[in-house]
Amino acid sequence: MEIGKGKIVIPERIKSGDVIRVQAVVQHPMDTGFFRDANANLIPPFFVQEVRVTYGDEEIARFEWTSGVSKDPMIAFTVRADREAPLTFTYKDNTGKTYQNSVPVAFQPA
């Protein structure tokens, strides 16, 4: 597993003003700190704490997660596509590491 690798899915065809569904997933173990490995050693907590979503240079969503979120978490929501700009997801985990994934929102010619 490549921690922090993500995928963002948006519609292939977007027109200005469309309300689009956005789905994003990030690979992360989301370890709670309550489980043990095969040698009975505690697996330390390791999970995404904060997710920020920007559309262009405007923050459009922010999520605060805990260790209770499942492995490889997914987010889905809708947004009005009112400009051509990148849609960027920034994930920060409890160790301070930051992961980022982005997709361009581009309009199809009429």
Side-chain angles (χ1 to χ4, degrees):
M1 168 173 49
E2 184 180 335
I3 295 174
K5 182 178 180 186
K7 182 175 183 179
I8 303 168
V9 177
I10 60 173
E12 289 183 27
R13 296 184 172 272
I14 302 171
K15 291 185 262 175
S16 181
D18 282 355
V19 175
I20 62 170
R21 180 173 170 82
V22 177
Q23 292 178 280
V25 64
V26 63
Q27 290 183 359
H28 203 282
M30 301 297 285
D31 292 321
T32 63
F34 297 118
F35 294 99
R36 296 181 183 274
D37 64 16
N39 296 320
N41 298 312
L42 277 176
I43 299 169
F46 182 41
F47 58 93
V48 173
Q49 285 184 308
E50 181 179 281
V51 182
R52 291 180 182 216
V53 183
T54 56
Y55 181 22
D57 53 3
E58 178 187 358
E59 183 175 278
I60 61 168
R62 182 185 299 180
F63 305 91
E64 292 183 20
W65 289 346
T66 66
S67 63
V69 175
S70 69
K71 176 182 175 180
D72 302 336
M74 184 180 117
I75 300 170
F77 59 89
T78 59
V79 65
R80 183 171 306 280
D82 59 3
R83 61 193 174 280
E84 292 187 311
L87 188 62
T88 304
F89 286 73
T90 304
Y91 305 90
K92 186 175 180 182
D93 68 28
N94 67 312
T95 68
K97 289 187 181 176
T98 301
Y99 315 95
Q100 194 171 72
N101 300 294
S102 187
V103 65
V105 174
F107 300 144
Q108 298 297 315

